[in-house]
Amino acid sequence: MSVEITGKSKIMFVLADPVDHVRASAVLNAYFAGIGEDVATSPLHVRPDDLPAVVGAIRHMNNVVGFGVTIPHKVAIAALLDEISQNARLIGAVNFVKRTRDGRLVGDNMDAPGFISALLNRGCTISGKRVLQLGAGGAGRATALAMAQARAAELWISNRDPVKAQALADAIQALHPETKVTAGADTAENFDLIVNTTSLGMLSDDPLPIDVSGISNTTVVYDIIVNPPVTRLMVTAAARGAGTIGGKAMLDEQMALVADFIRR
């Protein structure tokens, strides 16, 4: 499906580094076309050192209505905005920014509600479950908070940087003392739900972020990577009879939230 872009079109970007994995622009374009909105979205390759300059330039682009934010900018972007939502503040990361008519930039985070909706719409509940989360970056902050809000019984956070994992675990524990939050590694078979929020799986030769050879068919593996739509982790888990959910499900759930956000 082609998108006709004219001078009347509203423009959006998706800021990332690298951009090869970005699928959000295609999903957004399809969604807006489906609801009759003249909005065109494109990935924008922005290296971390260039982020302040790019954000400053967007303030002066009068036909830009907003931009998505993905790896590795979700945390750094917050300091460059005029305002962020309470949800984004709690998460400590932003994944979408609205540009107002006067050039103000307002950030929010759609990851948490999109993540939970994708689970619920597939008949998966979190309340009372033991969850292992891999990764403690921008997306990981959102998913960890979402699972604690959904009353997971226990949440383990594993990250290659243990200090970062502990900091996130402490922050989530303070907000939700009813969920036991632990930083550290554990074996996959001890959990009801395994969530991968790392970038491992984007490349075909990436190692698995965790060994899932011992899981049972009662485990659900949720890999929030969008491209490829089916990762090695998902294939390996499915071979064990486990349920799997890919990142596009989470992304799809965010489309209506983004549309509503830029209209407000």
Side-chain angles (χ1 to χ4, degrees), residues 193-215:
L193 173 65
I194 299 168
V195 180
N196 178 41
T197 72
T198 76
S199 61
L200 288 176
M202 287 183 180
L203 303 178
S204 59
D205 57 351
D206 278 345
L208 290 176
I210 193 170
D211 178 9
V212 292
S213 61
I215 64 174

Side-chain angles (χ1 to χ4, degrees), residues 158-178:
S158 177
N159 192 66
R160 61 184 178 181
D161 181 348
V163 174
K164 196 172 182 180
Q166 188 64 60
L168 179 56
D170 290 344
I172 300 298
Q173 187 69 86
L175 289 169
H176 293 278
E178 69 279 6

Side-chain angles (χ1 to χ4, degrees), residues 118-119 122-124 188 191-196 212 215-224 229-247 249:
L119 272 171
R122 285 154 182 79
C124 300
F191 297 91
D192 305 300
L193 173 65
I194 299 168
V195 180
N196 178 41
V212 292
I215 64 174
S216 71
N217 59 7
T218 62
T219 303
V220 173
V221 174
Y222 191 166
D223 195 333
I224 71 167
V230 179
T231 62
R232 277 186 61 212
L233 177 64
M234 293 169 65
V235 170
T236 306
R240 297 288 304 167
T244 62
I245 303 172

Side-chain angles (χ1 to χ4, degrees), residues 74-91:
K74 290 186 176 185
V75 175
I77 194 74
L80 303 174
L81 305 178
D82 299 298
E83 179 184 344
I84 63 173
S85 69
Q86 177 64 15
N87 185 45
R89 196 175 302 281
L90 284 173
I91 293 168

Side-chain angles (χ1 to χ4, degrees), residues 14-27 42-48 68-74 95 111 139 197-204 206 223-231 247-248 251:
V14 179
L15 277 52
D17 179 32
V19 293
D20 296 353
H21 68 283
V22 173
R23 296 294 302 159
S25 52
V27 175
S42 173
L44 205 60
H45 190 176
V46 181
R47 293 185 173 87
V69 186
T70 188
I71 295 172
H73 303 309
K74 290 186 176 185
N95 82 326
D111 278 336
T197 72
T198 76
S199 61
L200 288 176
M202 287 183 180
L203 303 178
S204 59
D206 278 345
D223 195 333
I224 71 167
I225 288 174
V226 176
N227 189 27
V230 179
T231 62
K248 189 175 182 299
L251 185 59

Side-chain angles (χ1 to χ4, degrees), residues 99-159:
R99 181 193 178 279
T100 66
R101 290 184 178 181
D102 60 357
R104 294 183 74 255
L105 299 177
V106 182
D108 203 346
N109 195 304
M110 317 294 182
D111 278 336
F115 172 83
I116 292 295
S117 293
L119 272 171
L120 296 179
N121 290 341
R122 285 154 182 79
C124 300
T125 60
I126 296 176
S127 180
K129 300 294 179 63
R130 298 190 78 230
V131 183
L132 172 61
Q133 174 172 300
L134 310 172
R141 295 178 70 88
T143 55
L145 180 64
M147 289 184 288
Q149 289 173 335
R151 304 188 72 81
E154 191 170 347
L155 173 61
W156 282 66
I157 300 173
S158 177
N159 192 66

